[in-house]
């Protein structure tokens, strides 16, 4: 078995190649070796990296791979296009111990979507906002506020909300704190849930459900499990997610995409403070925060969401695009993060003024969606470093 197969993002392949070339390494394709096994013996593990992406088109991949890989020198580094990750993870499971993404640039928008890969923990022990003492609440609030740029009114409202929630929850009068956040794409709705999760010290995955995947008629089965005897009765996604998380927060994205069955289910959850699976398993959600997000605008809100449900949300907020100054702060912070990450991974020395150079190359006014802005920041960073590498090689 080989230690690991590394996956690259096609977008940043040239960047990776240039950085490796700076380290004196070249990337070769496995294709030549497949045509002529002698070529494989000639591979120099110290200066060559083997790109195996082309194997994805191979017949009887598992069989052939097990013939080919042992012929390479012991410490050969193998890489592949991330596009084929699922395929290689499966077909090459007896060739590599580990499948790892090359982390060139830290990514902010981490989404978790693989239900299969979750670990089922038995004991439920979520850290909740109601568990914090008053000092911890102060820390929580300042950490949360630091992570979200702009939206000052919301941040103040939220601080007030959790203070009240803690009091009324103790009195037994308020079981779940529910927030409904609307607004354009990429302005920080989902980020609010991530920031709460992080500020409460979350180590495991945030319990997140995307209702965009739940628009069909039998969607309730996928969400809370189907009745005993049917396939999938082990528990639906909601139960798996909540059990697999260590923090008392649930994020429901694209809430409006779902149907009335699911709306009613959540109406019940908010009312009773617990969720019940199809096989009558109960999870107590007392003290939890549930965040619902949606791209609908203010006018659509009353049309799409029933009055019963509307009145059940503790807070309804509309997120406007960020102000110029907040976008600049976001950009500065991101550049700093990317540079830190880069310095940790590569020996190549960046010039001191690189952060400012990058900042000057980006016009934040062109961006409303922070996801797009982030992409621009990453691309500008890559471009700047590529230029430096080219200059070095002149
Ligand atoms: N106000 C903000 N503060 C900090 N980061 C933000 C903010 N807005 C956006 N971001 C960054 O941009 C990325 C996208 O934001 P987010 O996922 O919260 O978008 P969203 O509002 O949920 O959009 P969508 O409706 O498309 O889901 C986040 O990963 C985050 O890093
Ligand atoms: Mg979102």
């Amino acid at each position: 078995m080989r230690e690991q197969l590394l996956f690259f993002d096609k977008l940043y392949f040239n960047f990776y190649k240039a950085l490796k070339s700076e380290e004196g390494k070249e990337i070769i394709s496995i294709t030549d070796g497949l045509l002529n096994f002698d070529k494989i013996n000639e591979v120099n593990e110290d200066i060559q990296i083997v790109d195996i992406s082309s194997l994805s088109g191979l017949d009887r991949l598992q069989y052939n791979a097990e013939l080919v890989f042992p012929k390479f020198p012991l410490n050969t580094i193998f890489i592949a296009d991330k596009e084929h990750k699922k395929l290689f993870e499966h077909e090459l499971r007896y060739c590599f111990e580990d499948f790892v993404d090359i982390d060139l640039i830290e990514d902010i928008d981490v989404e978790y979507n693989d239900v299969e890969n979750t670990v089922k923990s038995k004991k439920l022990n979520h850290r909740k906002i109601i568990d914090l003492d008053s000092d911890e609440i102060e820390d929580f609030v300042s950490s949360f506020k630091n992570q979200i740029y702009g939206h000052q009114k919301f941040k103040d409202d939220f601080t007030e909300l959790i203070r009240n929630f803690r009091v009324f929850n103790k009195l037994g009068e308020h079981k779940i704190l529910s927030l409904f956040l609307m607004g354009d794409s990429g302005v920080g709705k989902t980020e609010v849930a991530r920031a709460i999760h992080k500020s409460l010290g979350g180590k495991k995955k945030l319990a997140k459900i995307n209702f965009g995947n739940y628009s069909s008629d039998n969607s309730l089965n996928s969400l809370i499990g189907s009745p005993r005897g049917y396939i999938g009765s082990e528990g639906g996604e909601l139960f798996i997610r909540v059990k697999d998380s260590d923090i008392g927060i649930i994020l429901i994205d694209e809430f409006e995409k779902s149907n009335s069955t699911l709306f009613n289910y959540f109406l019940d959850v908010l009312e009773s403070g617990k969720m019940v699976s199809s096989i009558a398993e109960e999870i107590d959600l007392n003290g939890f925060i549930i965040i619902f997000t949606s791209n609908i605008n203010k006018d659509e809100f009353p049309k799409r969401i029933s009055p019963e449900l509307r009145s059940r949300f503790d807070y309804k907020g509309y997120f406007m695009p960020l102000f110029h100054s907040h976008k600049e702060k976001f950009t500065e912070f991101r550049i700093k993060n990317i540079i830190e990450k880069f310095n940790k991974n590569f020996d190549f020395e960046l010039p001191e003024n690189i952060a400012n150079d990058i900042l000057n190359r980006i016009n934040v006014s062109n961006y409303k969606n922070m996801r797009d802005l982030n992409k621009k920041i990453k691309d500008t960073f890559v471009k700047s470093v590529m230029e430096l590498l080219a200059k070095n090689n002149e």
Side-chain angles (χ1 to χ4, degrees), residues 108-109 149 185-191 194 295 370-371:
I108 45 169
D109 232 358
Y149 293 85
S185 187
V187 295
K189 300 183 298 296
T190 301
E191 192 66 17
R194 293 196 196 102
N295 290 124
M370 295 298 103
R371 221 174 266 126

Side-chain angles (χ1 to χ4, degrees), residues 107-111 144-151 155 181-195 208 210 251 253-254 293-296 319-322 326 330 333-334 368-374:
D107 228 318
I108 45 169
D109 232 358
V110 200
E111 305 279 338
F144 173 79
K145 285 187 167 174
N146 265 330
Q147 284 175 67
I148 301 294
Y149 293 85
H151 308 308
K155 290 196 278 195
L181 305 178
M182 290 164 277
D184 290 347
S185 187
V187 295
K189 300 183 298 296
T190 301
E191 192 66 17
V192 165
R194 293 196 196 102
K208 173 186 155 174
N210 192 332
L251 169 65
D253 261 339
E254 300 197 85
T293 78
S294 170
N295 290 124
I296 57 176
F319 275 26
M320 304 294 281
L322 293 188
H326 295 134
F330 173 84
F333 182 76
R334 284 293 302 149
K368 269 194 188 158
N369 185 329
M370 295 298 103
R371 221 174 266 126
D372 297 337
L373 178 56
N374 185 50

Side-chain angles (χ1 to χ4, degrees), residues 311-336:
S311 67
R312 210 64 108 251
F313 298 126
D314 299 309
Y315 183 85
K316 292 155 281 242
Y318 192 83
F319 275 26
M320 304 294 281
L322 293 188
F323 293 138
H324 190 85
S325 60
H326 295 134
K327 288 193 272 191
E328 276 183 336
K329 278 224 182 72
F330 173 84
T331 310
E332 272 169 42
F333 182 76
R334 284 293 302 149
I335 296 174
K336 207 176 111 227

Side-chain angles (χ1 to χ4, degrees), residues 45-155:
E45 57 182 16
D46 293 324
I47 55 165
Q48 290 180 313
I49 296 172
V50 182
D51 179 358
I52 69 161
S53 306
S54 60
L55 289 186
S56 64
L58 204 65
D59 282 340
R60 301 207 294 156
L61 175 54
Q62 188 179 339
Y63 173 82
N64 282 312
E66 279 163 35
L67 283 182
V68 172
F69 282 116
K71 298 192 194 301
F72 282 93
L74 201 62
N75 295 316
T76 311
I77 295 172
F78 296 98
I79 61 172
D81 187 337
K82 214 178 194 165
E83 189 178 275
H84 309 299
K85 190 168 178 182
K86 276 245 146 65
L87 175 78
F88 285 163
E89 271 178 341
H90 183 73
E91 297 287 332
L92 306 183
R93 62 194 183 283
Y94 301 120
C95 299
F96 294 95
E97 306 248 2
D98 230 346
F99 298 86
V100 185
D101 288 341
I102 299 174
D103 221 2
L104 277 184
I105 292 189
E106 180 210 36
D107 228 318
I108 45 169
D109 232 358
V110 200
E111 305 279 338
Y112 302 102
N113 281 322
D114 299 330
V115 183
E116 312 106 75
N117 292 340
T118 55
V119 194
K120 285 178 190 148
S121 50
K122 282 180 204 78
K123 211 169 137 253
L124 291 182
N125 196 2
H126 295 93
R127 187 169 163 83
K128 291 173 280 196
I129 194 90
I130 52 163
D131 300 332
L132 306 185
D133 64 30
S134 47
D135 283 348
E136 289 170 329
I137 276 289
E138 293 307 317
D139 292 346
F140 169 84
V141 166
S142 75
S143 157
F144 173 79
K145 285 187 167 174
N146 265 330
Q147 284 175 67
I148 301 294
Y149 293 85
H151 308 308
Q152 195 52 51
K153 167 96 170 58
F154 167 75
K155 290 196 278 195

